[in-house]
Amino acid sequence: MASSTGDQSQMVKNGLRTKVLTLDSMNPRVQRVEYAVRGPIVQRALELEQELRQVWPRAPRCPPGHTGVAELAPAPLAHATRAEGLGRAQSACLLPSPPLPGCEEAFHRGHPCQHWGRTGYGAEAHHLPAPGAYSASSGIQLIREDVARYIERRDGGIPADPNNVFLSTGASDAIVTVLKLLVAGEGYTRTGVLIPIPQYPLYSATLAELGAVQVDYYLDEERAWALDVAELHRALCQARDHCRPRALCVINPGNPTGQVQTRECIEAVIRFAFEERLFLLADEVYQDNVYAAGSQFHSFKKVLMEMGPPYAGQQELASFHSTSKGYMGECGFRGGYVEVVNMDAAVQQQMLKLMSVRLCPPVPGQALLDLVVSPPAPTDPSFAQFQAEKQAVLAELAAKAKLTEQVFNEAPGISCNPVQGAMYSFPRVQLPLRAVERAQELGLAPDMFFCLRLLEETGICVVPGSGFGQREGTYHFRMTILPPLEKLRLLLEKLSRFHAKFTLEYS
């Protein structure tokens, strides 16, 4: 696929290209951000602590009143690294720390989380903050290392560098941070970001907040919400008339559409992004949720690395994961991470600075993420129970995905693509012309009108498709598949009956 200029086309042919995101091209507002509390001095202190840990890797448990490994260092370093304190009251043993919720399993199987002792000083001795203390802004080093090992296992041994892993307050916060780096320019030079339609509204909301240009590319509903590179090319070419597209977002498995991309599709997307000089954002928070026969999750990182040169060494990628989805569903803990690949080193430092303004992700959320990425090993006593429970959750979700598709497709005026993955269906509903006209009289989107009537008359709450984006003249709603199987069956049948009644009323 041709690049936008002859020079760029020649670079592609030669296998060479400049990075999309550099200090010169990134958001200049981010570069102006300063935050002395976690500025260069504190970063250097953390580096010194890391160096000391390599010298004394097995620090003994500290008695009350001591603050950890740094106290074992030569006196100047010990006081330099701990004098500021980063506001960590728990780390300084000023307050007792209760047992961390959700970590009982870790205590039993010797997991790193066991080092969160029942008082604040115990955790610090093992290089972990107490649950109520601040951590490093990029996340606890031990947990970042565990995340990197998880990514390596997931991707069949392809290396992952913990220095390229940043823990976050769920995946959402990391997505917003990366988008902040990318947004720059004014007028016709404003940053454009390609997002799928339908999309998860985090993207449209964030782009609106940042003043970026939302560039819509439509998923193909007639082909089970497939992503078509020809549609990417159409959207990109049209966008270049009024903005500067710099990034491409992909949600896989899809939210709200539930599609799972094939490896061939992912390869095509990577080639497209490389040739058109687009930074890739891969939202992969539903990677554990794949149900349809023949569907399989392939991470963008793995596919990118296996494609080899020039893609593997040059294509910029940020991929996101979360504890809120999968078989865990631990939404309230707000645990997540982003792994960056081929990001400019100076830009990566700017990203860390931006994260530092928020001090750190929630420490209990980091601990929970550690448990998710470090599940029981086959030699652990809890392994069999863990595997059984995990498979039971995913099997039930698969059954509910199939049931949702079946019931909706049996209802006149409703059609639903296979729910291949994630946790939602996105059925299409036919609405009578009189219902559309009545909605317009009320100043409502037609599917919003339908969903409001559904809620008022049945108590069923679904989200109108207009909130996610849809092709003009089509109407949808998003509905979760999470309720228990029998309750879900009754809910689906009740919804189908309401649609029939609604259609009759406005025919």
Side-chain angles (χ1 to χ4, degrees):
M1 196 164 294
S3 295
S4 58
T5 69
D7 288 344
Q8 290 175 3
S9 179
Q10 189 60 45
M11 284 193 301
V12 170
K13 291 178 182 177
N14 295 337
L16 301 172
R17 58 175 259 164
T18 57
K19 290 190 181 296
V20 174
L21 195 54
T22 66
L23 286 180
D24 291 333
S25 66
M26 70 174 285
N27 187 344
R29 296 179 182 87
V30 171
Q31 294 193 58
R32 292 197 291 269
V33 170
E34 293 185 7
Y35 192 65
V37 172
R38 295 229 167 172
I41 297 296
V42 173
Q43 291 302 320
R44 180 56 184 151
L46 294 172
E47 290 173 3
L48 289 172
E49 286 190 349
Q50 189 67 17
E51 292 171 11
L52 291 169
R53 288 168 193 162
Q54 295 174 4
V55 179
W56 289 282
R58 296 183 180 275
R61 196 174 183 89
C62 296
H66 287 252
T67 55
V69 173
E71 306 237 354
L72 301 176
L77 287 184
H79 294 292
T81 54
R82 286 297 182 178
E84 199 283 323
L86 305 181
R88 294 183 292 190
Q90 295 248 356
S91 297
C93 308
L94 300 182
L95 296 169
S97 177
L100 185 67
C103 278
E104 292 303 315
E105 164 66 18
F107 279 92
H108 290 299
R109 57 184 170 89
H111 192 272
C113 283
Q114 70 180 300
H115 300 308
W116 268 290
R118 297 181 185 271
T119 54
Y121 65 83
E124 244 348 84
H126 294 272
H127 330 311
L128 295 169
Y134 292 134
S135 76
S137 297
S138 57
I140 298 163
Q141 181 65 23
L142 279 174
I143 299 179
R144 293 167 69 203
E145 292 168 1
D146 283 348
V147 170
R149 282 188 283 269
Y150 160 80
I151 294 170
E152 288 186 9
R153 291 194 307 271
R154 180 198 68 187
D155 292 344
I158 294 172
D161 185 347
N163 292 319
N164 293 334
V165 172
F166 298 81
L167 308 189
S168 58
T169 308
S172 300
D173 192 53
I175 291 167
V176 172
T177 298
V178 174
L179 288 173
K180 281 183 178 179
L181 295 173
L182 283 158
V183 173
E186 300 290 341
Y188 288 106
T189 67
R190 279 196 304 164
T191 294
V193 180
L194 281 77
I195 65 170
I197 297 296
Q199 51 104 25
Y200 181 56
L202 167 70
Y203 294 96
S204 55
T206 302
L207 295 178
E209 180 183 356
L210 297 178
V213 178
Q214 175 180 321
V215 179
D216 297 342
Y217 67 89
Y218 288 91
L219 302 176
D220 189 346
E221 184 171 11
E222 305 307 315
R223 296 195 298 124
W225 299 112
L227 193 164
D228 186 352
V229 171
E231 169 63 10
L232 291 179
H233 188 59
R234 179 208 61 79
L236 183 71
C237 290
Q238 289 186 1
R240 281 181 171 149
D241 292 336
H242 60 274
C243 70
R244 184 174 295 170
R246 301 182 65 209
L248 166 60
C249 169
V250 182
I251 306 174
N252 180 49
N255 177 10
T257 49
Q259 88 284 3
V260 178
Q261 293 179 7
T262 65
R263 182 190 174 92
E264 292 73 22
C265 177
I266 293 172
E267 288 182 0
V269 169
I270 290 172
R271 290 191 191 94
F272 173 85
F274 181 84
E275 292 168 4
E276 300 296 345
R277 300 194 69 251
L278 297 172
F279 191 107
L280 263 174
L281 292 85
D283 183 334
E284 300 175 332
V285 300
Y286 290 101
Q287 59 190 255
D288 291 305
N289 301 89
V290 178
Y291 318 120
S295 294
Q296 181 181 352
F297 172 75
H298 302 277
S299 78
F300 268 76
K301 161 79 176 295
K302 182 176 190 287
V303 175
L304 175 62
M305 293 297 108
E306 291 180 345
M307 288 174 70
Y311 311 102
Q314 298 183 52
Q315 176 60 48
E316 294 151 89
L317 168 70
S319 54
F320 309 90
H321 196 18
S322 169
T323 62
S324 300
K325 318 302 179 186
Y327 54 89
M328 306 83 63
E330 297 286 359
C331 317
F333 276 99
R334 308 307 298 133
Y337 73 78
V338 54
E339 182 192 20
V340 295
V341 177
N342 294 323
M343 179 178 273
D344 182 273
V347 173
Q348 202 158 316
Q349 284 300 312
Q350 293 289 319
M351 184 167 78
L352 176 59
K353 179 184 71 174
L354 201 54
M355 290 179 163
S356 298
V357 176
R358 290 181 174 80
L359 293 177
C360 71
V363 172
Q366 294 185 55
L368 187 75
L369 176 66
D370 204 25
L371 294 175
V372 170
V373 300
S374 306
T379 54
D380 292 326
S382 58
F383 177 76
Q385 179 182 352
F386 170 79
Q387 287 294 110
E389 291 179 356
K390 174 183 174 181
Q391 293 307 317
V393 169
L394 293 175
E396 184 176 12
L397 284 170
K400 291 187 285 191
K402 190 66 177 176
L403 175 68
T404 300
E405 175 194 355
Q406 175 187 338
V407 173
F408 277 147
N409 284 328
E410 290 174 352
I414 304 178
S415 60
C416 184
N417 272 312
V419 182
Q420 298 172 330
M423 296 178 177
Y424 309 99
S425 63
F426 198 65
R428 180 172 175 174
V429 289
Q430 295 178 13
L431 301 181
L433 178 60
R434 286 185 57 227
V436 173
E437 292 171 344
R438 178 56 180 155
Q440 292 170 344
E441 292 171 2
L442 297 172
L444 298 173
D447 49 10
M448 172 69 81
F449 176 55
F450 172 80
C451 292
L452 281 173
R453 285 285 305 272
L454 174 69
L455 176 63
E456 294 289 346
E457 297 187 27
T458 69
I460 297 173
C461 178
V462 297
V463 185
S466 50
F468 301 90
Q470 56 197 350
R471 285 195 180 275
E472 186 72 24
T474 67
Y475 308 109
H476 302 78
F477 60 85
R478 189 188 79 162
M479 180 181 141
T480 181
I481 62 169
L482 292 176
L485 191 62
E486 287 311 308
K487 184 175 181 180
L488 178 64
R489 184 188 302 275
L490 294 175
L491 188 153
L492 292 168
E493 293 171 349
K494 189 175 183 180
L495 196 156
S496 299
R497 288 194 298 270
F498 169 82
H499 177 263
K501 173 178 172 293
F502 181 88
T503 299
L504 184 62
E505 178 182 349
Y506 285 97
S507 294

